Amino acid sequence: MDVKNTFEIKVRDAMGRVGILKTPHGTVQTPTLMPVVNPQRMVVPAKKLSDFGIQMVMVNAYLLKKYFEAEVKEKGVHKFLGFSGPIISDSGAYQLHLYGDIQVQPAEIVKFQEAIGSDIGVILDVPTGANMNYEGAKYTVEETLRRAREALKIKEREDILWGGPVQGGHFLDLVEYSSKKVGKLDFDLHPIGEPVQFLVQYQFDKVIDIIMAAKKNLPIERPVHLFGAGHPIFFALAVALGCDLFDSAAYALYARDGRYLTVEGTFRLDSLQELPCSCPVCSNYSSQELKKAKNKEQLLAEHNLYATVSEIKKIRQAIYENWLWELVEMRARSHPSLLQALRHLKKYSRFIEQFDPVTKKSAFFYSGSESLFRSEIIRHVDRLINRYKPPEKAKILVLLPSSERRPFRTSFEHREYQRTIAEATGSKIDFIHECTYSAPFGIIPRELEDTYPLSQFEAPKILDLDSVEFVKQTLKNYLKRFRDKYLVIICHNDNLYWHNYIIKQCKRITAQIKRELFVTSVTEKPTSKAALEKLKIAIKLALEKVD
């Protein structure tokens, strides 16, 4: 098998992607969850995992070698586990992290993974512990890189894919260095090491920093595996940052401890009066029946698998339909630490924008101030301030309020505005430059209305302070750019707080750039005969100034 071009990206959204990973035992659609199978204590038999929609599983090669070496070599890892799909084998680095030392050499574990027929092997890296000092963390990076180079020299089978891990922990410069160096080596995918220690403490912002430090420096065409991330609460955010593979034994470990997984968080089974899920387990058992079941641990593990796989499927569908970021924002409301992590992402918004599709199948939904640093808004403001050129003959900027119907020009209100403007200007209609002020995008020139997503968005009528401030700042930047050319007219509707605020800001800005501002009355509905007549008068006054 040719190991080159083993990953094909099909669809993108944010930095997330649906891809096809080709292995000797079949293809895997990413993003995907790889449950960790413990052959010493298999709560859910590996042969049953495909029934849950599991495409690939993970097994610890070190434990296989330590306890089952002869048998697994004879049968091969697929027959030994009873799983016919792709299998990724970890090297034993987790045990190295726990115990500080293991009785196996890096070269041995490479050869062993080849001998048992893993589809994907991982070198024996040296994990960076959360409590390590800088020198200790630097050692883990350099030693992991040394072992990575050595593994590529000694491996013999060309049909096995190999993972080159990234280490460095919370020392982001080390993560960047590790990513750059390992990314230049001939690996097929890259696990990002040791986020578990931060995930279990809900320090999601630290995990984001580690992921982004790695993603900025790894080859974009290679899949990224986030080690040990198995709770569905974090999947959507991690996928949006470009993670493709997730492994975890959480489904089984949580079941052993009586914990019930949901995408909103974890519950103690003992405290549940209802089972808030419709998976086969929860559909066939009441909470009381599940608590008393003899095989409670297995049933609970099965539910946990259904919950995690369901979220992965939903994420893939969100990527296909281009609403991944909306899903991320919904999930962020399930825990304050997730919301903090989403807000933390603002520092990476410019980088994410480079990979986010320019047009999408779904509309843009504004769900809070975090939406303001999404790629769609960043692109619009950049286009507006740095690239867009208004009509060359225009001398008067007319700011119009938004309407519920889009494109705005097709609404009854805007048709009335346009009729009034045409009557007021006559042959001087080319002097007018029409824009709509609308949250969350700020200023929308008439010529750009059909550009995605300026006619394909939904936002609440009651605006939050951040979106109001954003419109103000966008307006200020836009007016200052054309300080030598435009007079300004504000036409407003009956949302007095919002529109009076805009008028107040326009007065300040036009005073700074020494341009005159004409304002229609706030007392009538914007399309009433009296209001339109005042608009006509204001335009004529502005035309006199131009003349």
Side-chain angles (χ1 to χ4, degrees):
M1 176 183 173
D2 182 6
V3 298
K4 302 303 178 184
N5 301 317
T6 55
F7 185 55
E8 181 182 358
I9 298 171
K10 294 291 188 179
V11 189
R12 295 179 181 271
D13 196 18
M15 289 179 67
R17 56 262 188 109
V18 171
I20 299 297
L21 180 63
K22 302 170 187 176
T23 80
H25 283 80
T27 60
V28 174
Q29 188 179 38
T30 66
T32 197
L33 171 74
M34 308 173 296
V36 176
V37 177
N38 182 354
Q40 295 175 285
R41 198 174 191 277
M42 210 175 291
V43 180
V44 180
K47 63 183 179 182
K48 285 190 63 178
L49 290 175
S50 58
D51 297 341
F52 296 84
I54 297 299
Q55 305 172 78
M56 179 162 59
V57 301
M58 189 170 190
V59 67
N60 189 305
Y62 170 71
L63 295 180
L64 288 179
K65 180 174 173 57
K66 185 175 181 179
Y67 297 108
F68 307 99
E69 181 172 9
E71 184 181 358
V72 75
K73 276 185 174 180
E74 178 185 352
K75 293 181 177 180
V77 67
H78 295 82
K79 187 176 180 180
F80 175 79
L81 292 178
F83 187 79
S84 60
I87 296 176
I88 178 172
S89 52
D90 192 13
S91 57
Y94 182 68
Q95 280 67 33
L96 179 62
H97 172 63
L98 287 180
Y99 308 120
D101 187 29
I102 54 176
Q103 301 304 310
V104 68
Q105 295 300 311
E108 285 183 80
I109 208 68
V110 169
K111 293 296 185 182
F112 180 72
Q113 289 176 89
E114 289 189 320
I116 65 176
S118 300
D119 293 271
I120 303 175
V122 180
I123 70 160
L124 183 59
D125 55 323
V126 183
T128 308
N131 298 320
M132 281 186 177
N133 60 25
Y134 188 86
E135 289 305 314
K138 186 176 180 180
Y139 166 77
T140 68
V141 169
E142 294 290 3
E143 179 61 16
T144 295
L145 288 170
R146 187 192 69 78
R147 295 182 181 188
R149 297 185 188 100
E150 187 64 26
L152 293 176
K153 291 178 183 178
I154 65 173
K155 73 179 182 69
E156 296 178 353
R157 292 184 57 169
E158 292 300 320
D159 59 337
I160 295 178
L161 281 64
W162 284 96
V166 173
Q167 293 296 342
H170 63 282
F171 298 104
L172 301 184
D173 61 326
L174 294 180
V175 177
E176 292 174 2
Y177 171 79
S178 176
S179 303
K180 287 178 183 177
K181 293 294 185 180
V182 78
K184 292 178 181 179
L185 301 177
D186 192 21
F187 284 100
D188 301 285
L189 66 151
H190 295 286
I192 300 177
E194 292 308 303
V196 178
Q197 50 207 340
F198 301 114
L199 289 172
V200 296
Q201 297 174 13
Y202 280 52
Q203 294 178 310
F204 299 122
D205 47 358
K206 286 189 176 181
V207 181
I208 284 174
D209 286 335
I210 294 170
I211 293 172
M212 294 305 289
K215 287 291 294 186
K216 285 182 177 181
N217 295 284
L218 289 171
I220 196 66
E221 69 276 7
R222 296 180 188 173
V224 167
H225 169 193
L226 189 62
F227 262 140
H231 198 301
I233 197 172
F234 190 64
F235 284 166
L237 186 53
V239 170
L241 299 182
C243 295
D244 307 288
L245 304 170
F246 303 91
D247 78 271
S248 179
Y251 74 100
L253 296 176
Y254 280 35
R256 188 186 307 170
D257 195 34
R259 288 186 284 175
Y260 180 99
L261 276 176
T262 76
V263 71
E264 293 84 15
T266 307
F267 299 91
R268 288 282 178 183
L269 178 61
D270 289 344
S271 68
L272 290 177
Q273 301 304 310
E274 299 285 347
L275 300 179
C277 173
S278 56
C279 75
V281 173
C282 298
S283 297
N284 291 312
Y285 289 82
S286 69
S287 62
Q288 297 306 315
E289 289 170 339
L290 184 57
K291 292 172 188 176
K292 297 176 181 178
K294 292 182 179 179
N295 59 339
K296 177 178 69 173
E297 183 178 340
Q298 179 179 342
L299 291 172
L300 192 50
E302 289 180 0
H303 157 77
N304 290 343
L305 277 173
Y306 280 120
T308 51
V309 172
S310 174
E311 179 67 358
I312 288 290
K313 289 180 177 179
K314 183 171 290 186
I315 289 168
R316 285 201 297 260
Q317 185 61 32
I319 296 174
Y320 276 117
E321 297 295 328
N322 295 134
W323 48 271
L324 176 59
W325 208 257
E326 279 80 5
L327 181 62
V328 169
E329 292 188 345
M330 283 189 281
R331 295 292 181 251
R333 264 67 188 178
S334 64
H335 196 280
S337 295
L338 269 178
L339 184 57
Q340 177 177 310
L342 179 59
R343 291 172 178 171
H344 185 69
L345 267 185
K346 182 176 181 179
K347 65 190 286 190
Y348 301 111
S349 56
R350 287 284 177 183
F351 181 75
I352 295 171
E353 184 270 329
Q354 299 175 54
F355 302 94
D356 202 17
V358 175
T359 60
K360 300 186 178 184
K361 295 180 182 179
S362 63
F364 176 100
F365 282 74
Y366 181 85
S367 59
S369 59
E370 296 78 27
S371 298
L372 292 173
F373 51 85
R374 282 180 52 176
S375 302
E376 294 90 338
I377 291 183
I378 291 173
R379 282 198 196 104
H380 169 66
V381 173
D382 180 65
R383 183 186 297 128
L384 181 71
I385 303 302
N386 300 316
R387 296 167 54 193
Y388 170 72
K389 292 184 180 180
E392 190 173 340
K393 294 182 180 180
K395 300 180 182 298
I396 301 170
L397 173 61
V398 179
L399 289 179
L400 302 171
S402 62
S403 62
E404 292 188 16
R405 183 169 179 173
R406 302 181 186 88
F408 300 121
R409 66 176 183 278
T410 64
S411 68
F412 170 76
E413 299 95 324
H414 277 241
R415 290 200 302 271
E416 287 294 292
Y417 299 148
Q418 289 168 326
R419 179 183 61 79
T420 302
I421 291 170
E423 290 178 0
T425 55
S427 62
K428 297 179 180 179
I429 188 66
D430 289 346
F431 282 13
I432 301 298
H433 173 39
E434 291 182 35
C435 290
T436 300
Y437 59 100
S438 175
F441 292 96
I443 304 301
I444 302 176
R446 182 74 74 206
E447 298 84 356
L448 297 182
E449 276 189 13
D450 291 320
T451 304
Y452 179 87
L454 303 180
S455 288
Q456 302 87 14
F457 74 92
E458 295 293 337
K461 292 182 181 179
I462 300 176
L463 303 174
D464 56 86
L465 293 178
D466 287 328
S467 64
V468 171
E469 180 65 24
F470 183 82
V471 172
K472 166 196 161 184
Q473 191 60 44
T474 305
L475 176 62
K476 181 178 180 180
N477 292 336
Y478 191 69
L479 294 183
K480 283 189 173 181
R481 182 183 175 198
F482 305 115
R483 65 171 65 213
D484 298 327
K485 196 171 184 180
Y486 294 99
L487 298 170
V488 181
I489 301 174
I490 305 292
C491 183
H492 51 83
N493 65 18
D494 52 358
N495 187 337
L496 295 185
Y497 171 77
W498 162 233
H499 297 281
N500 283 341
Y501 178 83
I502 292 294
I503 291 170
K504 181 179 179 181
Q505 298 307 320
C506 282
K507 286 179 178 179
R508 288 181 177 177
I509 296 166
T510 51
Q512 292 174 3
I513 62 177
K514 296 183 171 62
R515 305 300 278 176
E516 194 163 352
L517 175 67
F518 298 85
V519 183
T520 56
S521 172
V522 299
T523 58
E524 299 93 355
K525 289 186 177 181
T527 55
S528 68
K529 184 176 180 180
L532 293 175
E533 185 62 30
K534 290 177 180 178
L535 173 60
K536 186 184 297 184
I537 292 171
I539 291 175
K540 288 182 177 180
L541 289 172
L543 285 171
E544 290 177 6
K545 293 288 184 179
V546 171
D547 292 340

